[in-house]
Amino acid sequence: SDLYTKKIIFGISLLTATACYKVEPIDVIAPQREIDTQTLTQYKSNLQNRNITMGMMYNWTNEVGSFLMNVPDSLDVVVLKDNYNNISEVQKNDLQAVQQKKATKVLVGLNYAAISKEYETQKEKQLAEKQKEIEANTNLSSSERAQELNKATLEIIATLSTAAKENITKQAENILQIAKNNGFDGISIEFPLILNDPFSEENFNTMLSQVVNNKGNLLLVIENPYGDRTSSTEKQPIDAANWMLYYKKNNELYKSFTDLAAKFPNNNFLSSTDFSEETLQDGFSDSKNFNPDGKNGKYPRTIGTIYWTASNKKGVALYHIEKDYFNFSGKYPYKNLRSIIHKLQSK
């Protein structure tokens, strides 16, 4: 049976969202159909054995497109990337409704890439301030200023590094607690594309070991996995991931997916793109699929993610799905997301 939404469910979630925008109230269209929960539950019971569609949602319940119950029925997994630390009653109801009525898996996301970026920002800021302070000290010679700056640099880095290592563990413990306390189905962890101390493979392995040991039945998604599992037979905590994917804003190369997926041949891998990008129509430059109606003969990256192939490919991940809400097909939102789901199911 057709799993796509036949009517838009506005309900309480839409009223709440419109209040955030401070616009005039609108007429609410009551649901005219029953969601086929039984079929959806059966369809989504074997996520590990078929291609799935995963949507990364931002700004949960703060805008109309960021309500879980508004997403297409057949979207398999949603990862909430923010706004989940203090769950409101509206959010609790939204979560329970989509899990119970649409059998959609909902995960919460932890972004070490953003944490790493903030660490670098703080380090640069403190080093600049210390350098300015030392250079302003006219009682020091040039060589003494250099010595003081070197000493201060080591101290600042050591202090920030210690705090960062503690934060890596703290953030993991926090995300697991949030997932368990609020009935989420799992967690997703986004790693930096380039690892540097203190955000190193060693420190992340320590954190992941604790996550795997304590997550119970929670699902685990790894965004930008690190390491290489092509030759090692010793089990690593990262092997516990249910899905892996490569994500970089404005990525235009299939090769990015191919190279990383090859390093994790025993894990389910997803291709990805981002609805918030302005260059989606450019497609993937190394795609061999010809689209006569597309820019430079390419499919837009939203569709192009479907055509990337690998032996361990198990679907697609779309970032900022809330940006696609106002792309309507008739009365129905999420036009592009629905098209991607339909095309993926048809392959």
Side-chain angles (χ1 to χ4, degrees):
S1 60
D2 185 0
L3 301 179
Y4 294 100
T5 308
K6 303 300 183 184
K7 292 289 183 181
I8 305 171
I9 300 177
F10 287 95
I12 297 175
S13 64
L14 185 54
L15 288 175
T16 305
T18 54
C20 296
Y21 279 101
K22 298 182 181 180
V23 297
E24 293 298 321
I26 63 174
D27 293 333
V28 178
I29 301 174
Q32 299 297 313
R33 55 98 179 168
E34 292 292 330
I35 296 174
D36 190 352
T37 300
Q38 182 177 354
T39 299
L40 286 169
T41 300
Q42 181 179 1
Y43 171 70
K44 296 180 183 181
S45 64
N46 63 336
L47 296 183
Q48 297 292 299
N49 300 318
R50 64 169 173 82
N51 285 324
I52 69 161
T53 308
M54 180 181 295
M56 274 57 174
M57 178 181 284
Y58 295 73
N59 210 23
W60 183 29
T61 67
N62 280 346
E63 54 185 288
V64 65
S66 294
F67 278 83
L68 294 168
M69 274 300 289
N70 286 346
V71 302
D73 291 6
S74 49
L75 181 62
D76 296 299
V77 179
V78 177
V79 176
L80 299 172
K81 300 294 280 187
D82 54 25
N83 203 33
Y84 52 71
N85 288 301
N86 297 298
I87 308 296
S88 67
E89 282 300 313
V90 169
Q91 290 174 320
K92 185 182 299 183
N93 293 336
D94 189 39
L95 172 64
Q96 292 176 351
V98 80
Q99 289 174 322
Q100 294 172 6
K101 295 181 180 181
K102 298 188 179 185
T104 303
K105 302 297 183 185
V106 184
L107 286 62
V108 281
L110 173 56
N111 191 346
Y112 283 117
I115 295 172
S116 174
K117 184 177 180 180
E118 177 60 25
Y119 164 83
E120 293 296 333
T121 299
Q122 287 298 317
K123 183 175 70 172
E124 291 176 8
K125 178 182 178 182
Q126 293 188 27
L127 289 175
E129 290 174 349
K130 180 58 68 173
Q131 181 177 4
K132 184 178 180 180
E133 176 188 328
I134 291 172
E135 289 178 349
N137 189 343
T138 57
N139 295 322
L140 298 175
S141 65
S142 296
S143 60
E144 288 174 332
R145 288 194 188 98
Q147 290 175 2
E148 284 295 312
L149 182 58
N150 183 60
K151 178 182 176 181
T153 298
L154 294 175
E155 290 176 351
I156 289 172
I157 291 176
T159 300
L160 289 176
S161 180
T162 298
K165 290 177 183 178
E166 294 174 353
N167 195 33
I168 288 173
T169 301
K170 180 181 178 181
Q171 292 291 340
E173 293 173 347
N174 184 49
I175 198 77
L176 280 176
Q177 205 61 49
I178 289 173
K180 291 179 178 180
N181 288 350
N182 296 282
F184 290 102
D185 298 292
I187 66 173
S188 183
I189 303 177
E190 181 178 343
F191 290 104
L193 286 169
I194 299 175
L195 303 189
N196 293 307
D197 191 68
F199 298 92
S200 64
E201 185 168 337
E202 179 183 0
N203 291 334
F204 281 141
N205 274 340
T206 300
M207 176 275 297
L208 267 181
S209 293
Q210 296 176 355
V211 167
V212 172
N213 290 336
N214 295 309
K215 74 181 184 68
N217 293 325
L218 292 176
L219 296 169
L220 176 62
V221 175
I222 299 294
E223 304 167 55
N224 299 325
Y226 56 85
D228 189 334
R229 306 297 294 138
T230 54
S231 58
S232 176
T233 57
E234 182 179 355
K235 193 170 182 61
Q236 296 292 326
I238 203 167
D239 297 334
N242 298 96
W243 297 279
M244 291 180 172
L245 62 97
Y246 172 89
Y247 171 64
K248 180 183 178 183
K249 192 79 177 273
N250 293 309
N251 170 52
E252 61 173 21
L253 294 173
Y254 277 154
K255 187 177 186 297
S256 301
F257 308 137
T258 303
D259 290 350
L260 193 56
K263 293 180 178 180
F264 300 90
N266 297 318
N267 287 93
N268 296 332
F269 209 88
L270 310 178
S271 54
S272 74
T273 196
D274 188 327
F275 277 118
S276 69
E277 296 173 1
E278 296 180 356
T279 59
L280 288 176
Q281 297 304 314
D282 293 346
F284 292 96
S285 60
D286 54 352
S287 170
K288 304 301 182 184
N289 295 292
F290 179 68
N291 176 21
D293 300 320
K295 184 176 180 181
N296 298 320
K298 304 292 184 184
Y299 285 99
R301 286 198 288 270
T302 46
I303 300 300
T305 55
I306 299 171
Y307 296 112
W308 171 73
T309 59
S311 60
N312 56 339
K313 180 185 177 180
K314 286 295 182 178
V316 300
L318 292 310
Y319 284 74
H320 281 287
I321 60 172
E322 75 282 354
K323 300 298 183 183
D324 191 50
Y325 177 83
F326 288 102
N327 287 322
F328 281 82
S329 176
K331 297 181 179 180
Y332 310 128
Y334 293 108
K335 175 183 177 180
N336 294 324
L337 180 57
R338 292 175 187 278
S339 176
I340 292 167
I341 295 172
H342 176 71
K343 290 179 183 296
L344 188 66
Q345 290 173 346
S346 300
K347 284 181 66 66

